[in-house]
Amino acid sequence: QPALDPAELIARYCYGLALALVRCGRGSGSELALNQRDIALATGLTRETVNRTLRAWARDEMIRVQRGRIFVDRPEALAELAGTTHESFIKSYWAPAASDDA
């Protein structure tokens, strides 16, 4: 498994959630009803790490954060951090079992 930095983990979670909401018709993908605690629990990071990452993204004008909401202003930047292919999501969350053929 490749090691992902906190920004990549958070981006993959938020981007994946945004895509899922769009695909099921429950949102535009530009507004996520998430708080730092939710993201921390989902990614295994501390709330403080999530806070630092979100503040850095806000300084870069990639997102805006309001209480319990994240507004994605630059989805292309989030997608770039997250990895835009199906394979990039799989490699970070799933490792194939060892083959019994060996």
Side-chain angles (χ1 to χ4, degrees), residues 2-64:
L4 301 174
D5 67 35
E8 290 172 315
L9 280 172
I10 295 167
R12 287 185 182 190
Y13 178 70
C14 292
Y15 187 68
L17 180 60
L19 285 178
L21 290 171
V22 168
R23 288 184 180 162
C24 72
R26 308 262 339 237
S28 66
S30 62
E31 180 180 347
L32 303 172
L34 289 173
N35 61 38
Q36 294 172 11
R37 183 176 170 270
D38 295 336
I39 297 170
L41 288 171
T43 60
L45 299 169
T46 65
R47 191 198 59 75
E48 292 79 8
T49 298
V50 171
N51 177 277
R52 280 193 302 272
T53 302
L54 295 179
R55 281 189 290 136
W57 291 353
R59 278 191 305 274
D60 292 340
E61 298 180 348
M62 190 167 86
I63 64 166
R64 287 175 287 124

Side-chain angles (χ1 to χ4, degrees), residues 82-97:
T84 57
T85 66
H86 180 69
E87 290 79 17
S88 66
F89 286 103
I90 290 173
K91 77 178 181 183
S92 63
Y93 293 109
W94 175 78

Side-chain angles (χ1 to χ4, degrees), residues 59-88:
R59 278 191 305 274
D60 292 340
E61 298 180 348
M62 190 167 86
I63 64 166
R64 287 175 287 124
V65 178
Q66 292 180 0
R67 188 175 188 94
R69 298 233 178 271
I70 296 173
F71 297 91
V72 181
D73 294 328
R74 292 181 33 223
E76 71 285 351
L78 188 62
E80 185 177 327
L81 272 172
T84 57
T85 66
H86 180 69
E87 290 79 17
S88 66

